Amino acid sequence: MQIKNLLVYCLLFSTLLSCSKSGNFVLTGKVNGLRKGVLYLQKVEDTVLVNLDSVVVDGDPEFELYADLKEPQVVYLTLEKVDASDYDDRILIFAEPGEMTLNTSLKNFQSQVAITGSENQLKLDEYNKVLRRFNDENLNLIKKSFEVRKDENEDSIVFYDQKIQNLIKRKYLYTVNFAMNNKDYEIAPYLAVSEIFDANVKYLDTIYKSLEPKVRRSKYGKVLKDYIEERENTNIEEQTQTKTISETDGIEE
């Protein structure tokens, strides 16, 4: 009898816990084909993925996850499968406080995803659509470059190397222009620090200076500002070291 009562209490307690979930961000959706597994809502904190919420899927592919978000930011929906696969599937979401919906399938967890409810996510989808074309073109050029290298055709090697470099420049310029054209969205500084972080610092600074004040004060606006300052300080140190070495080399014993 005591064991039975204990089980009842445990069931009631778990029910209360599930009902008490709350937050200013709600992600609902469905993973077609998923029967068993665990879905995690995660974010990166100090370079580590941190769980914000989770739900066990056991028969019903629909889910509901909660979190408290101070501002728009990137979070992840991670699927932990029960089939002991070597890796879990993870979807990047540009979340905003409020309600969002994510629908996908188990078979094409990342490629078939549809996300609604966030202006920044819409902008990210728009950016990624063009970026995929850049990536496809880049893969094609790399393939051709590999082929001419096998033939040891120097002129063709130089030709395709130049084509690849020009494509990278086009991608960077597209990203800079996209960020500046969306200066009132948090995705602008996010793309600067995630997609073109190794670009000339003057381009990053141009993006930062174009941002609306509220975006400058955002999480990614602050990250971009700090990163630019770090890059500029590093450049100053390198220039100082180079100058010192040059002056030292010119000293006669």
Side-chain angles (χ1 to χ4, degrees), residues 46-180:
D46 296 328
T47 70
V48 178
L49 275 174
V50 177
N51 292 338
L52 300 173
D53 195 9
S54 64
V55 60
V56 176
V57 177
D58 189 7
D60 184 0
E62 295 186 354
F63 64 87
E64 195 169 280
L65 295 162
Y66 294 82
D68 279 311
L69 301 180
K70 295 180 180 179
E71 59 182 320
Q73 62 180 279
V74 166
V75 298
Y76 299 89
L77 179 69
T78 302
L79 170 60
E80 183 182 90
K81 301 174 185 175
V82 295
D83 59 3
S85 59
D86 292 335
Y87 60 91
D88 300 323
D89 290 303
R90 183 171 292 121
I91 296 171
L92 185 151
I93 307 163
F94 212 122
E96 296 177 1
E99 296 183 5
M100 291 184 66
T101 302
L102 184 153
N103 291 307
T104 186
S105 68
L106 178 62
K107 185 177 180 181
N108 301 297
F109 189 72
Q110 293 175 313
S111 61
Q112 205 174 48
V113 64
I115 307 171
T116 59
S118 162
E119 289 295 325
N120 277 285
Q121 180 66 46
L122 286 175
K123 296 295 181 181
L124 180 60
D125 291 342
E126 180 185 342
Y127 174 81
N128 284 336
K129 186 177 180 180
V130 176
L131 192 65
R132 279 192 289 271
R133 294 205 294 266
F134 278 115
N135 291 338
D136 289 343
E137 188 176 347
N138 187 53
L139 287 173
N140 187 44
L141 288 173
I142 290 174
K143 180 181 177 182
K144 290 180 178 178
S145 177
F146 179 75
E147 290 172 353
V148 297
R149 274 176 164 75
K150 287 195 298 183
D151 297 334
E152 297 183 353
N153 187 325
E154 288 298 326
D155 289 340
S156 295
I157 290 173
V158 172
F159 174 78
Y160 282 110
D161 283 350
Q162 188 61 51
K163 293 274 283 186
I164 291 172
Q165 289 303 313
N166 289 339
L167 181 65
I168 293 172
K169 290 178 183 178
R170 282 169 49 207
K171 173 194 167 184
Y172 275 42
L173 288 175
Y174 166 72
T175 303
V176 171
N177 288 328
F178 187 91
M180 293 180 66

Side-chain angles (χ1 to χ4, degrees), residues 175-202:
T175 303
V176 171
N177 288 328
F178 187 91
M180 293 180 66
N181 289 334
N182 293 281
K183 59 187 178 182
D184 47 348
Y185 292 97
E186 287 78 6
I187 191 174
Y190 171 77
L191 290 177
V193 295
S194 64
E195 294 292 335
I196 56 171
F197 60 90
D198 55 348
N200 190 308
V201 71
K202 71 178 182 181

